[in-house]
Amino acid sequence: MADDLFKALADPTRRTILDELAEKSGQTLFEICSRLSMKHRLGISRQAVSQHLAVLEAAGLVETRREGRYKFHDLNTAPLRQITERWPVPAPSAPEESPP
């Protein structure tokens, strides 16, 4: 799963999609395409956005749910925690005081 995660994060368009889902989760494909076009000036086809979403979903970063004929996309940050748990950063130690 780590390979899929890094592959998904490597693309700037996919990171922009994640930024948009972080700002407003539960968007449809139409909403995501509209925001990418209007807010980020990305001239990207609906099919290309759908393919990016499929990569993000395969990596576990996006979860989908259907309500009627609509498919909603939600951000899932759980896979990102796997990265921080794999390479934990040690807590900084307190500076030692030198004797006067």
Side-chain angles (χ1 to χ4, degrees):
M1 177 169 222
D3 290 341
D4 289 341
L5 180 61
F6 288 116
K7 176 185 173 188
L9 293 172
D11 186 276
T13 301
R14 288 193 283 269
R15 290 192 305 267
T16 302
I17 292 170
L18 292 175
D19 290 340
E20 286 304 317
L21 290 175
E23 189 174 307
K24 181 181 182 273
S25 200
Q27 295 185 59
T28 63
L29 177 60
F30 177 79
E31 290 174 298
I32 294 168
C33 290
S34 297
R35 291 173 71 106
L36 292 176
S37 174
M38 296 170 72
K39 187 175 174 183
H40 299 280
R41 304 284 187 234
L42 291 176
I44 186 169
S45 72
R46 206 176 146 107
Q47 182 179 4
V49 173
S50 182
Q51 290 172 345
H52 282 301
L53 285 167
V55 171
L56 292 168
E57 190 172 1
L61 292 167
V62 170
E63 295 178 343
T64 59
R65 58 188 161 81
R66 284 206 174 269
E67 290 180 21
R69 58 185 214 138
Y70 295 102
K71 185 177 181 181
F72 296 92
H73 301 84
D74 297 293
L75 176 64
N76 178 21
T77 58
L80 298 174
R81 285 190 286 279
Q82 292 175 350
I83 294 172
T84 60
E85 291 169 1
R86 183 172 179 172
W87 295 293
V89 177
S93 58
E96 294 183 27
E97 293 184 26
S98 55

